[in-house]
Every structure is written in C-alpha cells, then in structure tokens.
Amino acid sequence: MKTTIAEVGKFVGKEVTIGAWLANKRSSGKIAFLQLRDGTGFIQGVVVKAEVEEEIFQKAKSITQETSLYVSGIVREDERSPFGYELGITSIEVISESEDYPITPKEHGTEFLMDHRHLWLRSKRQHAVMKIRNEIIRSTYEFFNNEGFVKVDPPILTGSAPEGTSELFHTKYFDEDAYLSQSGQLYMEAAAMALGKVFSFGPTFRAEKSKTRRHLIEFWMIEPEMAFYEFEDNLKVQETYVSYVIQSVLKNCQLELHTLGRDTSKLEKIQAPFPRITYDDAIKFLHEKGFTEIQWGDDFGAPHETAIAESFDKPVFITHYPTSLKPFYMQPDPNRDDVVLCADLIAPEGYGEIIGGSERIHNAELLKQRIGEHHLDEEAYEWYLQLRKYGSVPHSGFGLGLERTVAWISGVEHVRETIPFPRLLNRLYP
Ligand code: 4AD
Ligand code: MG
C-alpha cells in the first residue's frame, strides 16, 4: 500500500510503501536507523541486519543524505517518538542519489543556511515553521469566512501610498510611475463600502532600510476592513481573531510546536479580551521603568515595546497615539484631536507589533485637509475621497503582519525563518 508518513497511523501492523528522502542516518554492525522525510512528516525507519537480506542492509548503510527512495516496511507504534510510529523496513529502492548535500547534521552559520534556503526548507525545524504558517493562514480564512467576511484582493501595482511615501518601491508602469503595494487598505475601504466586511491576504512591500529581526522587505499582510465598525468594534475583531488563530495552531500543530521546543503554556493563555493601555499611559509607564529619554510625541522603539509587553502575559493594545506619528487616514479622537483612534497590538515575549489598525476618517473635508498636510498628491487620492462623498460611513480596519505572527507563535527569533524565501535588506537570493 502506497501512503505518506502523515497517514501511517492508519496502517499499524501492515506493510506500506513511502516515497521519501533520507534526512539523516545512524548505523552499527547490526542495525541501521534511517530518518526519513516525505514532506508530510518525519519517521524513523529501522533496518535490522538479521531480519532482512544482506543487500538491503548494505544499501541502508550506504545511502547518502537526501537521496530519494521508495521505502517499504511494517508500521509499528513507537511510544518513545513524539510522532508515535516507526517503520520496520523490509525493502529500499533508490530513486535518485544525492551527493555531498551541503547542509549536514552539524551546525551551520545563518548566512550559509540563508544562501541554501532552497534546501534549508527541507529541515525538520523549517518544515515545522512552514506548517505553522500554513495553519495560521488556514485558520484566518476559516475565521473570517465564519464571521461573514468576503475575501477581496487589492492590486499590488498601485499609484498611491497608504503608509507614507518614504518606503515605496518605485517601478515604471509603461509611461507612468507606479509603486508596489505597501498595504491594500485604501482599496479595502472601497471594498467594505461595496461588501460590508472584507479581508485581504497578500504580499506587501516596504523599501525600509531596517535590518532587524522583525523587518522584511516583502511580507504578507491580512487586512480586514469593516463598514459601520467604530474603534471599539475594531479591537474586538482583532482580539477574537488572534485568539482563534492561536487556539487553532495549538489544536492542529502540536507536533510542530514540540519540534520547535515552543513553551505552549504561554500560548494557552492567549484568549480574548486583551489588555489595553493608552499611548499617554505607556509613556508614563516607560518613565517609571527608567526610560527617561522618551517624550510624548516620540515613537516607540523595540526596547520600549518589549518593556510594555513584558508586564502582560497576553498581547496588549497600545491605543490613541499622537496624530503626528500616524498616517493621514486615521480618525481623530472626538475629545482631543492630538491623538487618533488607533491601536497597535504588541505581541508578548518581545515579538513586537503584530497589528496596526484604526478607525478611518469618514469626513470628506477633514480627509482632504490631511492629504494636504501630508503633502500627498490629491489627484492620486481622488477616488479615495469619493468614498466619503457618496454615502460615507464610519469604518475601521487593521493589518496583521503574518511573518511576525508566525515568529511569535513558533517561538523563532527572526522573521527570516517564517517565510519560504525572505527578501531582506541584503538578500534577493535564492
Ligand atoms: O502598521 P502597518 O504599517 O499598518 C498598515 O499598513 C495599515 N495600512 C494596515 C491596515 O490598517 N489595513 O503594518 C501592519 C503590520 C504591522 O503591525 C506588522 O505586523 C507588519 O504589518 N509589518 C511588517 N512585517 C514585516 N516586515 C516589515 N517591514 C513590516 N512592516 C509592517
Ligand atoms: Mg504600524
């Protein structure tokens, strides 16, 4: 019976055949242990010299790392392995030999591994991170579909800049200038006026000269946008959504979290509602913690965010930032216009901001004024202004950065391991 590693549990005591690669191997004079992987999972194959033909035992001892194989064997339960099964190998057929595989079981430097990202993805750790990334995406679609949202795909080539003009990737669009999308938000606002509750999922680009463990040049964002949702409604969606994703990963990725050595007790606590702190109080808090240099009106750096996050065991919303720190489209607080109705969601354990969101300005005059104050080209925003002209309504939305979320949930230090082929300041290869 031909099957996959993920499915072997259905065949305990039976003989199966699996297409696999040799991930690693250990052998003595009498027994060989083959670590096999097939994409769906990892399993240990055992070849006992006394139980198989000599030719098979010799083959098992000589196979090189990453050689592709058809392996047959009897599925056995194995309590010692977290996977729960092993394969008592009866035959091995080599499909294609692999010579001098560069990523050996010894330690390699990060740059070396990044240069071999196309192969590094095969490792157990990277496999686990990609499976968790997939579960986050899957449960995101499930959550928003359950909640009555419609998936809408904004364009990637655009003529306008939602998040400020300094970090844009420029390209020629025949005779015109165009930019790679920094955020689909403005288009999602138009979509919300057509479909009510919408969400997008796609790549976004920031020509940011940041070289930190939280920054990618190309990253994937989930951007929900909701008509008739005000500031408070927006936060509710966010905390329910993030909790849902965490609980889905806990339910469906136990093996992967175990592979990564993730402390899952920390994730189990992540249930809505999440704590909140205003920007004003965050500044006071930081002063008390000894960050004396930060002043009202300054943006938070990573150490500030981490200090704030450390006093909570759930993600924390920092709300009501100064207007001057935020993009042009954010709705001012009705009680004081030096702050806006926005929130950043800061993940625990030092993973930083995973969501940025706000209520949007729905008054045409105010929006026009802000576009002017930010020195943006009004013509490029003509269509966006029209959304405020024809039946404008209060509306809100947010963007969740997928890679930072994957990093946090997986417990990996750097976002470069959370996307198959990271685009970094110094890296466009492979
Ligand atoms: O806070 P940002 O810039 O917000 C927006 O783009 C809004 N237009 C979203 C919206 O309201 N629809 O980005 C949102 C999130 C951040 O919280 C962060 O998680 C992630 O995107 N992000 C990055 N992730 C990796 N690398 C980068 N360079 C990132 N920049 C932002
Ligand atoms: Mg932000």
Side-chain angles (χ1 to χ4, degrees):
M1 176 58 115
K2 204 167 167 182
T3 187
T4 60
I5 294 173
E7 301 283 311
V8 294
K10 294 180 186 158
F11 302 99
V12 175
K14 304 218 169 71
E15 185 170 54
V16 296
T17 300
I18 294 166
W21 290 267
L22 183 79
N24 199 358
K25 137 191 117 184
R26 213 156 39 83
S27 62
S28 69
K30 290 184 188 142
I31 192 160
F33 297 101
L34 308 184
Q35 303 306 323
L36 302 167
R37 60 169 201 90
D38 76 341
T40 73
F42 293 77
I43 193 170
Q44 171 165 277
V46 185
V47 192
V48 181
K49 186 173 156 73
E51 291 173 6
V52 294
E53 282 170 37
E54 184 58 21
E55 181 225 328
I56 292 168
F57 189 68
Q58 287 312 323
K59 214 190 261 180
K61 284 191 73 163
S62 64
I63 312 170
T64 50
Q65 194 186 350
E66 288 305 313
T67 288
S68 50
L69 315 158
Y70 280 120
V71 182
S72 300
I74 313 286
V75 179
R76 295 194 289 246
E77 279 182 286
D78 175 18
E79 279 159 20
R80 287 154 306 173
S81 106
F83 177 56
Y85 304 98
E86 66 170 24
L87 202 62
I89 293 179
T90 51
S91 88
I92 298 169
E93 182 193 326
V94 170
I95 302 170
S96 174
E97 259 179 68
S98 155
E99 255 179 73
D100 301 325
Y101 187 68
I103 307 178
T104 59
K106 69 161 201 195
E107 287 274 314
H108 294 282
T110 303
E111 284 308 302
F112 178 86
L113 291 169
M114 291 296 286
D115 286 342
H116 295 85
R117 183 67 178 164
H118 50 294
L119 301 176
W120 190 23
L121 281 174
R122 301 178 183 195
S123 79
K124 204 169 190 173
R125 175 181 159 91
Q126 300 308 314
H127 182 268
V129 177
M130 289 306 128
K131 291 287 286 271
I132 290 172
R133 178 183 169 104
N134 179 64
E135 177 58 21
I136 295 172
I137 297 167
R138 193 202 62 75
S139 55
T140 292
Y141 277 67
E142 188 173 79
F143 175 84
F144 287 112
N145 280 306
N146 288 349
E147 298 285 324
F149 285 64
V150 178
K151 166 105 194 309
V152 169
D153 306 312
I156 290 172
L157 285 166
T158 67
S160 52
E163 299 300 309
T165 47
S166 58
E167 298 164 356
L168 284 172
F169 269 106
H170 176 255
T171 181
K172 284 314 274 187
Y173 191 77
F174 306 108
D175 294 337
E176 288 178 73
D177 289 311
Y179 309 97
L180 297 184
S181 176
Q182 291 174 303
S183 157
Q185 180 195 319
L186 306 191
Y187 298 97
M188 297 309 286
E189 289 183 52
M193 300 306 132
L195 294 151
K197 294 194 284 184
V198 292
F199 75 106
S200 69
F201 174 54
T204 44
F205 306 85
R206 305 267 167 109
E208 242 174 311
K209 294 255 157 71
S210 303
K211 207 177 162 186
T212 79
R213 68 187 190 91
R214 298 169 179 182
H215 285 89
L216 290 161
I217 305 299
E218 178 179 306
F219 66 97
W220 286 63
M221 200 165 19
I222 290 125
E223 293 190 273
E225 193 72 31
M226 298 80 73
F228 307 104
Y229 275 48
E230 298 178 24
F231 174 69
E232 186 60 36
D233 309 315
N234 194 18
L235 299 198
K236 285 232 171 63
V237 178
Q238 294 172 48
E239 61 195 10
T240 326
Y241 163 49
V242 171
S243 305
Y244 187 87
V245 164
I246 298 278
Q247 297 310 319
S248 298
V249 173
L250 282 171
K251 186 163 160 236
N252 300 320
C253 298
Q254 274 302 321
L255 195 58
E256 289 76 13
L257 293 165
H258 178 271
T259 296
L260 295 166
R262 182 69 168 106
D263 177 356
T264 50
S265 67
K266 292 202 169 116
L267 297 177
E268 277 152 20
K269 294 192 193 118
I270 313 296
Q271 297 272 14
F274 295 165
R276 293 151 194 217
I277 179 172
T278 62
Y279 174 91
D280 287 2
D281 286 344
I283 291 282
K284 279 187 213 137
F285 169 87
L286 288 170
H287 286 161
E288 282 160 20
K289 287 273 160 182
F291 293 90
T292 45
E293 75 298 352
I294 192 158
Q295 287 178 9
W296 198 95
D298 292 344
D299 211 351
F300 299 134
H304 304 123
E305 283 179 0
T306 303
I308 296 165
E310 267 171 6
S311 49
F312 303 95
D313 54 9
K314 291 182 188 183
V316 52
F317 287 113
I318 305 179
T319 68
H320 302 86
Y321 280 76
T323 312
S324 56
L325 284 179
K326 291 292 179 186
F328 73 95
Y329 53 72
M330 290 191 182
Q331 175 74 21
D333 185 326
N335 304 316
R336 52 184 279 214
D337 67 5
D338 61 338
V339 299
V340 280
L341 296 179
C342 73
D344 284 356
L345 185 66
I346 314 300
E349 301 174 68
Y351 286 94
E353 180 200 323
I354 54 168
I355 290 182
S358 72
E359 186 171 329
R360 325 302 193 188
I361 292 175
H362 61 278
N363 176 284
E365 280 317 306
L366 179 59
L367 188 59
K368 210 181 238 181
Q369 181 192 324
R370 285 280 197 270
I371 288 173
E373 285 165 9
H374 283 253
H375 309 292
L376 300 169
D377 170 16
E378 203 181 300
E379 227 170 88
Y381 295 89
E382 176 60 29
W383 68 267
Y384 186 65
L385 282 160
Q386 283 185 18
L387 302 176
R388 278 71 182 168
K389 190 173 162 199
Y390 304 112
S392 192
V393 298
H395 61 287
S396 303
F398 63 95
L400 173 129
L402 178 64
E403 287 75 18
R404 289 187 191 177
T405 307
V406 177
W408 165 43
I409 297 178
S410 306
V412 310
E413 177 77 9
H414 199 296
V415 288
R416 68 185 161 221
E417 287 186 61
T418 65
I419 183 165
F421 295 97
R423 295 294 169 243
L424 300 162
L425 200 51
N426 59 350
R427 185 171 292 280
L428 193 56
Y429 176 93

